[in-house]
């Protein structure tokens, strides 16, 4: 930990233990930013040849800024590292026509979990055979949409849904036999640096392996002439850094795969091991590279298949956040700054920006940690422990709980929050009738609008009363 100069302890003392005091508060931690982001000599953040001051002048704030070359490179890195596997981009992390097109141009399929996401993927020209439809409560309309499109896989989540698919296929009377994966719950739940390998059956997704329901569902699908069983699907959680969770889940799913083969003599051709690969939101996060993940996961599966004496099925994964998350930052304008004197000598600076929990709910929803930097100028001030908050009428409207920002931060400054490409715009709301920010792509100094800024008129159009 570097302690900068002669700063007074009272502006530092409320920093959490994990947050290092920066030696220069203007510095970027490269691992938090997309590869074409830097600061210029004036301390202004730049992305792919554009300064954030130019971006703010052209499109306003708040805005999500996607580094297109970086996102494409992350997709490509997964495709290359997992050569021989199928990589499906998890659209729930962030989906728009442009991004769906980019990832499919880089060789990925797209995993969708609603009729809306399916519509976007199809609109982008993604090959339907490279689309998987998820969802624990798919409607008739969504299933029919998937059947009409001819998606490559429907990931079934319940007996009710399986019955529904069979009923719809039968009623349609066409020559179709949808390819089905059975989503299982392995009893492994992994989040960030922790995983729990037992007793996590108490959640809504999939068929439980431990209870025998997963085996029953596989046999049910195998026996249904209207359906083609292609394999097991397992997704164990999010923001995972520890390969051990995947290892335990893979072992359990492969054992189930082998058990079905032993009972029926048929080895299913495929298996999906889900997504959830962690990214860096703060200095404490140390994500694995796609190559390291591919290495570890291949070894786990090959060893287990050898031990079970079964062929290695054709494998797939579904990374979302690891592709879209680090490629984008959110850009805000500071509106107000307050120094809050806490108990003792402690001071915390509250920096309120022109967005908030409506454009990033993750901090409020599950105490996610983020980082931030002063993006529009260099500062000579020392670091002050700060909290970046939004403009909503809610005490929990926090974007970045703890960060060192320059002590002279002031209204009109721009602040950038890295790793904002996943589960930010995709989970955005209109709380307080605040329109949702636009998403722009930047490539070679050019801006491409991916999603335009929502207007109050857009919102009011729904208000027919
Ligand atoms: C089934 C499934 N696949 C993939 C993902 C993507 O996870 P991540 O964006 O963390 O990679 C999710 C996320 O919830 C999921 O539920």
């Amino acid at each position: 930990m570097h302690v900068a100069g002669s700063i007074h302890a009272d502006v530092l003392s409320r920093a959490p233990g994990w947050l290092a005091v920066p030696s220069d508060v203007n510095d970027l931690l490269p691992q938090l930013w997309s590869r074409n982001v830097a600061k210029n000599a004036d301390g202004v953040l730049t992305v792919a040849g554009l300064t954030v001051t130019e971006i703010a002048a052209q499109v306003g704030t708040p805005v999500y800024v996607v580094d297109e070359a970086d996102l494409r490179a992350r997709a490509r890195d997964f495709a290359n590292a997992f050569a021989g596997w199928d990589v499906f981009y998890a659209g729930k992390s962030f989906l728009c026509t442009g991004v769906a097109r980019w990832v499919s141009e880089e060789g990925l399929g797209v995993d969708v979990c609603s009729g809306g996401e399916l519509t976007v993927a199809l609109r982008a020209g993604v090959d339907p055979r490279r689309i998987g439809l998820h969802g624990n409560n798919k409607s008739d309309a969504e299933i029919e949409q998937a059947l009409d499109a001819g998606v490559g896989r429907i990931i079934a989540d319940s007996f009710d849904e399986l019955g529904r698919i069979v009923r719809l296929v039968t009623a349609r009377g066409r020559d179709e036999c949808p390819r089905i994966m059975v989503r299982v719950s392995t009893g492994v739940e992994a989040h960030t640096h922790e995983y729990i390998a037992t007793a996590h059956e108490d959640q809504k997704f999939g068929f439980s392996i431990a209870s025998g329901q997963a085996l029953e569902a596989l046999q049910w699908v195998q026996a249904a002439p209207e359906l083609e069983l292609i394999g097991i699907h397992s997704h164990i959680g999010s923001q995972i850094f520890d390969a051990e969770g995947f290892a335990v889940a893979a072992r359990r799913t492969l054992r189930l795969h082998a058990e079905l083969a032993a009972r029926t003599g048929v080895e299913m051709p495929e298996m999906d091991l889900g997504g959830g690969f962690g990214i860096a939101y703060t200095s404490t996060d140390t994500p694995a590279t796609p190559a390291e993940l591919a290495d570890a996961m291949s070894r786990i599966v090959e060893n287990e298949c050898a031990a079970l004496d079964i062929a290695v099925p054709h494998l797939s994964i579904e990374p979302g956040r690891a592709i879209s998350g680090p490629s984008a930052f959110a850009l805000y304008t500071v509106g107000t700054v307050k120094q809050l004197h806490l108990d003792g000598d402690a001071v915390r600076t509250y920096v309120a920006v022109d967005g908030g929990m409506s454009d990033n709910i993750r901090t409020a929803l599950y105490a996610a940690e983020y980082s931030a930097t002063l993006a529009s100028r260099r500062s000579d001030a020392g670091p002050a422990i700060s909290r970046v908050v939004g403009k909503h009428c809610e005490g929990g409207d926090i974007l970045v709980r703890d960060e060192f920002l320059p002590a002279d931060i002031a209204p009109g400054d721009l602040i950038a929050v890295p790793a904002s490409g996943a589960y930010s715009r995709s989970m955005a709301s209109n709380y307080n009738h605040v329109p949702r920010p636009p998403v722009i792509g930047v490539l070679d100094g050019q801006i491409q609008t991916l999603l335009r800024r929502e207007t109050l008129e857009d919102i009011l159009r729904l208000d027919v009363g």
Side-chain angles (χ1 to χ4, degrees):
M1 177 184 289
H2 311 282
V3 176
S6 57
I7 29 183
H8 199 279
D10 59 5
V11 293
L12 303 179
S13 61
R14 285 315 157 98
W18 59 264
L19 184 64
V21 185
S23 52
D24 181 345
V25 78
N26 298 287
D27 284 350
L28 292 181
L29 282 177
Q31 68 268 33
L32 302 183
W33 299 87
S34 63
R35 50 204 90 181
N36 300 301
V37 166
K39 282 193 173 176
N40 68 17
D42 298 324
V44 179
L45 197 73
T46 66
V47 51
L50 268 186
T51 62
V52 292
T53 40
E54 289 168 309
I55 290 172
Q58 278 190 48
V59 296
T61 61
V63 56
Y64 307 97
V65 183
V66 185
D67 179 346
E68 176 181 342
D70 181 272
L71 192 147
R72 282 180 178 272
R74 286 177 201 278
R76 214 161 41 238
D77 287 350
F78 268 101
N80 291 337
F82 284 87
W85 298 42
D86 283 325
V87 181
F88 290 80
Y89 169 65
K92 70 203 73 177
S93 67
F94 174 63
L95 198 65
C96 64
T97 312
V99 165
R101 197 168 46 235
W102 296 349
V103 295
S104 66
E105 284 169 0
E106 300 302 336
L108 273 54
V110 176
D111 132 33
V112 299
C113 59
S114 70
E117 288 184 1
L118 176 56
T119 303
V120 174
L122 294 171
R123 191 165 174 245
V126 178
D127 179 350
R129 290 168 302 180
R130 311 210 60 206
I131 296 177
L133 176 65
H134 274 282
N136 71 303
N137 186 15
K138 303 172 187 77
S139 67
D140 281 13
E142 287 172 321
I143 293 167
E144 288 215 73
Q145 189 187 355
L147 295 173
D148 285 341
V151 301
R153 46 168 74 172
I154 297 176
I155 297 93
D157 197 273
S158 66
F159 286 112
D160 286 332
E161 179 192 339
L162 286 170
R164 198 173 296 158
I165 299 173
V166 166
R167 174 173 55 75
L168 290 168
V169 168
T170 308
R172 287 156 65 91
R174 302 184 198 168
D175 184 20
E176 60 190 351
C177 188
R179 290 158 46 84
I180 303 294
M181 288 196 123
V182 169
R183 169 112 182 227
V184 302
S185 63
T186 55
V188 175
E189 183 173 289
H191 292 291
T192 309
H193 298 281
E194 289 168 11
Y195 84 95
I196 300 167
T198 53
H200 273 266
E201 300 285 328
D202 196 3
Q203 49 85 29
K204 71 174 185 174
F205 290 111
F207 297 91
S208 135
I209 295 182
S211 71
Q213 285 196 347
L215 180 63
E216 197 187 324
L218 290 168
Q219 289 175 303
W220 196 99
V221 178
Q222 207 174 37
E226 302 85 354
L227 307 177
E228 179 185 348
L229 176 64
I230 61 166
I232 298 172
H233 186 291
S234 151
H235 171 80
I236 57 171
S238 58
Q239 191 55 0
I240 302 167
F241 292 93
D242 182 355
E244 192 50 29
F246 288 112
V248 177
R251 243 172 259 135
R252 291 180 182 176
T253 48
L254 284 164
R255 260 184 243 144
L256 177 63
H257 176 101
E259 189 175 349
L260 186 79
R263 284 173 184 246
T264 64
V266 181
E267 283 190 23
M268 292 174 286
E270 299 193 26
M271 177 171 290
D272 191 303
L273 296 175
F277 313 115
I279 65 167
Y281 290 101
T282 73
S283 59
T284 60
D285 296 324
T286 50
T289 63
E292 288 165 343
L293 289 168
D295 218 49
M297 292 175 78
S298 301
R299 211 160 347 101
I300 291 164
V301 172
E302 278 158 22
N303 290 344
E304 197 59 25
C305 286
L308 291 166
D309 197 21
I310 53 172
V312 176
H314 182 72
L315 296 160
S316 51
I317 50 164
E318 294 173 342
R321 158 194 340 254
I323 293 171
S324 59
S327 302
F329 60 84
L331 186 66
Y332 303 98
T333 302
V334 174
T336 65
V337 178
K338 286 182 190 168
Q339 308 283 343
L340 261 83
H341 293 265
L342 312 176
D343 50 318
D345 268 353
V347 174
R348 195 194 314 278
T349 305
Y350 272 72
V351 180
V353 298
D354 51 355
M357 64 193 298
S358 61
D359 61 72
N360 187 354
I361 190 66
R362 295 187 66 255
T363 308
L365 188 61
Y366 29 69
E369 301 284 359
Y370 279 89
S371 306
T373 193
L374 169 61
S376 48
R377 65 182 170 91
R378 163 169 287 286
S379 167
D380 293 325
I385 191 67
S386 305
R387 182 159 288 171
V388 182
V389 298
K391 59 177 284 155
H392 294 282
C393 281
E394 185 76 35
D397 174 25
I398 295 168
L399 285 167
V400 184
R401 188 172 305 279
D402 298 291
E403 179 58 291
F404 285 109
L405 290 172
D408 65 350
I409 201 119
D413 282 334
L414 297 176
I415 285 193
V417 175
S420 293
Y423 306 105
S424 293
R425 179 60 177 79
S426 59
M427 295 175 91
S429 75
N430 289 127
Y431 182 43
N432 295 147
H433 277 66
V434 171
R436 290 171 297 177
V439 183
I440 61 162
V442 181
L443 181 69
D444 298 333
Q446 300 295 318
I447 290 178
Q448 179 195 354
T449 302
L450 295 168
L451 288 181
R452 73 159 168 81
R453 186 180 300 285
E454 198 170 35
T455 63
L456 190 54
E457 290 69 47
D458 289 328
I459 299 172
L460 292 179
R461 208 168 290 141
L462 304 178
D463 186 342
V464 293

